[in-house]
Amino acid sequence: MTSNVPPIGELLDATRHSAVHLEMRDAYVVSRETSEFQRWLRTGERPDDPEADYWRQWTNAVRRTVDRGVVVRRARIVSEPVTDYIRYEYAGTPVNLAAGEQVRWLPRRCASDIALPGNDFWLFDGKLVRFGFFSGEGDLVGHALDEDPATVKLCTSAFEAVWRRAIPHSEYEIH
């Protein structure tokens, strides 16, 4: 694991053609989300304004990227019935879409025959992988960059296989 992995916004800013993100966990513990997640559990309300302080840094980064003609896709492999955290992500996905991301969902039972890397990742321009490492509890513990052609090939293949099977957000119903 390298400690000098650039922030995701910098990597998006350097991207020319495509950025894809594969999420495979059923829960994440993201410190900046903790209070919003707890509020959502209590009230069912989640910030949905892409211009809100909560979202602005992300939506600005995605918009800058998409405005340059870069395609940004996110696929989520989820267990069903889904966890509360996945319900929370689902509730926030309209903001991802408003920023310009394309988002799809794949029930985990439909991914059994797909060769998947062991960690969530971003893949930039089909040549640079940024892995995210999480503890068993879902805490982010680090990132690493990888340009090895075999790793890039695995991640490209995995993402594209998931994407072909996955259900667009507008058609996916959480169970």
Side-chain angles (χ1 to χ4, degrees):
M1 240 178 346
T2 58
S3 59
N4 58 351
V5 174
I8 195 73
E10 285 182 28
L11 293 167
L12 285 171
D13 285 342
T15 302
R16 301 267 191 239
H17 307 288
S18 67
V20 300
H21 185 36
L22 183 59
E23 298 177 2
M24 299 180 283
R25 296 185 55 86
D26 287 319
Y28 296 86
V29 179
V30 180
S31 59
R32 78 175 209 65
E33 288 182 343
T34 302
S35 63
E36 285 298 329
F37 180 58
Q38 293 302 317
R39 185 178 133 224
W40 178 83
L41 285 172
R42 286 190 314 276
T43 67
E45 296 175 9
R46 179 143 195 223
D48 61 1
D49 177 3
E51 303 309 318
D53 288 343
Y54 180 81
W55 289 105
R56 189 174 303 119
Q57 185 176 359
W58 178 250
T59 57
N60 285 345
V62 172
R63 284 183 181 138
R64 281 192 314 269
T65 304
V66 171
D67 287 349
R68 290 191 322 276
V70 175
V71 176
V72 180
R73 297 182 292 161
R74 178 186 303 258
R76 294 175 171 140
I77 299 174
V78 295
S79 299
E80 293 179 324
V82 299
T83 63
D84 285 340
Y85 187 86
I86 294 301
R87 289 180 187 284
Y88 171 74
E89 276 193 331
Y90 185 87
T93 299
V95 175
N96 298 90
L97 298 170
E101 288 186 61
Q102 299 172 38
V103 179
R104 293 187 182 180
W105 303 81
L106 183 65
R108 192 170 309 282
R109 70 182 182 286
C110 299
S112 296
D113 62 343
I114 299 173
L116 298 167
N119 296 287
D120 289 9
F121 65 87
W122 277 91
L123 174 63
F124 302 96
D125 289 333
K127 59 185 177 185
L128 176 66
V129 178
R130 180 185 192 251
F131 287 110
F133 304 118
F134 295 88
S135 72
E137 296 297 320
D139 295 294
L140 181 65
V141 296
H143 295 99
L145 296 179
D146 196 326
E147 295 178 281
D148 177 72
T151 303
V152 168
K153 183 178 179 181
L154 170 64
C155 291
T156 300
S157 174
F159 184 86
E160 294 304 331
V162 168
W163 190 256
R164 282 190 301 274
R165 292 183 189 181
I167 303 161
H169 178 76
S170 62
E171 298 171 25
Y172 182 67
E173 296 179 23
I174 57 173
H175 296 89

